[in-house]
Short mmCIF file of all heavy atoms in Angstrom, two decimals:
data_model
loop_
_atom_site.label_atom_id
_atom_site.label_comp_id
_atom_site.label_asym_id
_atom_site.label_seq_id
_atom_site.Cartn_x
_atom_site.Cartn_y
_atom_site.Cartn_z
N GLY G 329 1.46 21.58 9.89
CA GLY G 329 0.25 21.44 9.09
C GLY G 329 -0.98 21.24 9.94
O GLY G 329 -2.06 21.01 9.41
N SER G 330 -0.86 21.29 11.28
CA SER G 330 -2.02 21.11 12.13
C SER G 330 -3.01 22.23 11.92
O SER G 330 -2.64 23.40 11.84
CB SER G 330 -1.60 21.06 13.60
OG SER G 330 -2.73 21.04 14.44
N THR G 331 -4.28 21.92 11.82
CA THR G 331 -5.29 22.93 11.55
C THR G 331 -6.21 23.14 12.72
O THR G 331 -7.26 23.76 12.58
CB THR G 331 -6.14 22.48 10.35
OG1 THR G 331 -6.71 21.22 10.66
CG2 THR G 331 -5.29 22.35 9.10
N SER G 332 -5.83 22.64 13.90
CA SER G 332 -6.73 22.75 15.04
C SER G 332 -6.94 24.20 15.43
O SER G 332 -8.07 24.64 15.66
CB SER G 332 -6.17 21.95 16.22
OG SER G 332 -4.89 22.42 16.57
N GLN G 333 -5.84 24.98 15.53
CA GLN G 333 -5.99 26.37 15.94
C GLN G 333 -6.72 27.17 14.87
O GLN G 333 -7.53 28.03 15.18
CB GLN G 333 -4.61 26.98 16.19
CG GLN G 333 -4.66 28.42 16.70
CD GLN G 333 -5.39 28.52 18.03
OE1 GLN G 333 -5.21 27.68 18.90
NE2 GLN G 333 -6.23 29.54 18.16
N ARG G 334 -6.41 26.85 13.61
CA ARG G 334 -7.09 27.57 12.54
C ARG G 334 -8.58 27.29 12.57
O ARG G 334 -9.39 28.19 12.35
CB ARG G 334 -6.50 27.16 11.19
CG ARG G 334 -7.13 27.93 10.03
CD ARG G 334 -6.57 27.49 8.71
NE ARG G 334 -6.86 26.07 8.49
CZ ARG G 334 -6.48 25.44 7.39
NH1 ARG G 334 -5.80 26.06 6.46
NH2 ARG G 334 -6.77 24.16 7.23
N ASN G 335 -8.99 26.05 12.85
CA ASN G 335 -10.40 25.73 12.92
C ASN G 335 -11.07 26.46 14.08
O ASN G 335 -12.23 26.86 13.98
CB ASN G 335 -10.58 24.22 13.09
CG ASN G 335 -10.19 23.47 11.83
OD1 ASN G 335 -10.20 24.05 10.75
ND2 ASN G 335 -9.85 22.20 11.97
N LYS G 336 -10.34 26.60 15.21
CA LYS G 336 -10.91 27.34 16.33
C LYS G 336 -11.14 28.79 15.96
O LYS G 336 -12.14 29.40 16.32
CB LYS G 336 -9.97 27.24 17.54
CG LYS G 336 -9.91 25.86 18.14
CD LYS G 336 -8.96 25.83 19.32
CE LYS G 336 -8.85 24.43 19.91
NZ LYS G 336 -7.89 24.38 21.02
N ASP G 337 -10.16 29.39 15.24
CA ASP G 337 -10.31 30.78 14.85
C ASP G 337 -11.45 30.95 13.86
O ASP G 337 -12.23 31.89 13.95
CB ASP G 337 -9.01 31.29 14.22
CG ASP G 337 -7.86 31.28 15.22
OD1 ASP G 337 -8.16 31.26 16.43
OD2 ASP G 337 -6.69 31.30 14.78
N MET G 338 -11.53 30.01 12.90
CA MET G 338 -12.54 30.14 11.87
C MET G 338 -13.94 29.83 12.38
O MET G 338 -14.93 30.20 11.77
CB MET G 338 -12.21 29.21 10.70
CG MET G 338 -10.99 29.64 9.89
SD MET G 338 -11.23 31.21 9.08
CE MET G 338 -12.51 30.76 7.90
N SER G 339 -14.04 29.11 13.52
CA SER G 339 -15.35 28.75 14.05
C SER G 339 -16.12 29.95 14.54
O SER G 339 -17.34 29.87 14.72
CB SER G 339 -15.20 27.73 15.19
OG SER G 339 -14.56 28.33 16.28
N VAL G 340 -15.46 31.07 14.80
CA VAL G 340 -16.15 32.26 15.27
C VAL G 340 -16.18 33.34 14.19
O VAL G 340 -16.45 34.50 14.47
CB VAL G 340 -15.46 32.82 16.54
CG1 VAL G 340 -15.60 31.85 17.66
CG2 VAL G 340 -14.01 33.17 16.26
N SER G 341 -15.86 32.99 12.98
CA SER G 341 -15.93 33.93 11.87
C SER G 341 -16.90 33.44 10.84
O SER G 341 -17.48 32.36 10.99
CB SER G 341 -14.54 34.13 11.26
OG SER G 341 -14.10 32.92 10.72
N GLU G 342 -17.10 34.19 9.80
CA GLU G 342 -18.04 33.82 8.77
C GLU G 342 -17.43 34.08 7.40
O GLU G 342 -16.61 34.98 7.24
CB GLU G 342 -19.34 34.62 8.90
CG GLU G 342 -20.13 34.28 10.14
CD GLU G 342 -21.44 35.06 10.16
OE1 GLU G 342 -21.52 36.09 9.49
OE2 GLU G 342 -22.34 34.61 10.83
#
Side-chain angles (χ1 to χ4, degrees):
S330 173
T331 58
S332 59
Q333 183 61 41
R334 182 181 62 179
N335 291 337
K336 291 179 182 178
D337 297 339
M338 290 296 293
S339 66
V340 295
S341 64
E342 293 183 338

